[in-house]
Amino acid sequence: MASLKRAGKVVCIGRNYADHITELNSARPKQPFFFQKPTSSILLPGEGPVIRPRGVDLHYEVELALIMGKQVRGLNAQDEQSAMDAIESYALSIDMTARNIQNEAKKKGLPWDISKGFDTFLPLSSVIGKAAIPDPHNIELYLTINGKVRQSDSTELMLFRIPRILGDISKVMTLEPGDIVLTGTPKGVGRVAPGDVMRAGIRVGGKELEEAKMEVA
Amino acid sequence: MASLKRAGKVVCIGRNYADHITELNSARPKQPFFFQKPTSSILLPGEGPVIRPRGVDLHYEVELALIMGKQVRGLNAQDEQSAMDAIESYALSIDMTARNIQNEAKKKGLPWDISKGFDTFLPLSSVIGKAAIPDPHNIELYLTINGKVRQSDSTELMLFRIPRILGDISKVMTLEPGDIVLTGTPKGVGRVAPGDVMRAGIRVGGKELEEAKMEVA
Ligand SMILES: [Mg+2]
Ligand SMILES: [Mg+2]
Ligand SMILES: [Mg+2]
């Protein structure tokens, strides 16, 4: 099965769930837009806590991650079969974000890379075999803080579905085997305070996926 | 010597030469800011032309690239020796930019990744051994279009010097051996029209460096 340390790049979709766009007072995109997180931000299970940089308003965003198994270039978004075939496996991920730095960058028209890219800002679950997720557009992602549910929504709420996402990215950047694609976060994002414990997971047909379970301090 | 295909990430400094900031009507940054280009955008010598995406206003930015030889985390910007020791070698690079997409992103507060990240948007020279550049803050970078000089300036004009750049980046993202750091472009950036030929190079003490010579269509 895929190693999560094999990623050449991590590409993330922004604003892909309508209610999350509303909660951040953002504009609804006409087409998917995306940004990168550095591979150095990956935090694997058991590697320890998310490190909180000084002065940072730290936010969680739970997201389904795709792990690519094939090279993808200029994919036709109508070609659902090729899109699905290009995925090797999945993972659950938390797109940690320095919200104050991101808001400042947005205001000044500056890149998002610092706000998204600190070391440990990409906690990942174990690799989830493809067979465990028969339909990636019909699973439930959840995230709790200290046991309280903060995010819990179905991936059927994605504005742009996976073939469209992979089509748009791969018309700009060739995706390589091992690359990781984050598919956006549902509503409910918010602050992580010092000492908070995040738990996240995936339910498929109401049943918890063991491989997807995450616990990060 | 380093392979340029070993890069785990490519990190680029923006607005690091005063006259370039003026020509783009940008604000002078109080501290270095940076963004990533995907490793999939790397174009090695002999790999062919830069591909012009449809509708893109394609701009060149010649830059000195550092190729890291050590892991760097939280480097002290005062520690010039450690900064220099962490560099394994150099390359010349052209930070190709879809200026219209970048301007649109700036206006909307969106990430820069698409504008900077198309396949082939990072032409690199051959690897330049460290000994060939005794002082990276005192070399001349140049770029010509169809034989006309468009950029030609000394790296002594950098606003933030290399130890500061590596300090600021590595306080956010750990740099790994093989990672590439672009140090910003001097004034003179502009459009590449279809059919234009870019040539770029480095002069050290007035003498052309053979390894740095680039020719890209
Ligand atoms: Mg996100
Ligand atoms: Mg890598
Ligand atoms: Mg540049």
Side-chain angles (χ1 to χ4, degrees), chain A residues 5-164:
Chain A
K5 283 285 189 194
R6 204 161 54 98
K9 60 181 172 293
V10 180
V11 187
C12 312
I13 298 297
R15 300 180 199 163
N16 202 25
Y17 287 79
D19 289 337
H20 170 59
I21 295 171
T22 311
E23 74 187 351
L24 288 190
N25 289 314
S26 297
R28 188 173 174 136
K30 286 200 201 75
Q31 54 191 41
F33 75 84
F34 47 91
F35 58 88
Q36 291 171 88
K37 289 177 88 90
T39 50
S40 43
S41 67
I42 292 174
L43 182 74
L44 295 183
E47 284 190 331
V50 170
I51 295 162
R52 169 187 303 273
R54 233 188 314 164
V56 155
D57 181 19
L58 189 63
H59 273 219
Y60 55 81
E61 303 186 350
V62 72
E63 313 200 8
L64 176 66
L66 319 175
I67 303 163
M68 305 309 298
K70 288 188 181 162
Q71 192 186 68
V72 183
R73 179 179 288 148
L75 181 93
N76 178 349
Q78 308 307 317
D79 186 357
E80 293 228 10
Q81 191 58 51
S82 294
M84 291 307 164
D85 286 351
I87 299 168
E88 184 180 83
S89 46
Y90 300 96
L92 191 59
S93 64
I94 309 179
D95 172 16
M96 300 302 302
T97 303
R99 192 70 75 201
N100 54 334
I101 298 179
Q102 186 196 32
N103 286 340
E104 194 69 12
K106 284 180 184 175
K107 232 187 302 178
K108 294 185 173 162
L110 291 177
W112 291 18
D113 301 68
I114 295 176
S115 66
K116 293 286 190 175
F118 287 91
D119 286 356
T120 75
F121 265 33
L122 182 52
L124 293 172
S125 73
S126 302
V127 174
I128 303 166
K130 219 167 160 181
I133 299 186
D135 179 1
H137 298 107
N138 185 25
I139 60 175
E140 202 184 309
L141 313 179
Y142 72 84
L143 182 140
T144 68
I145 301 280
N146 306 328
K148 279 197 178 156
V149 178
R150 299 298 189 186
Q151 297 190 275
S152 180
D153 262 317
S154 169
T155 53
E156 73 189 354
L157 296 175
M158 285 186 193
L159 296 177
F160 301 106
R161 289 158 64 95
I162 291 166
R164 174 70 191 278

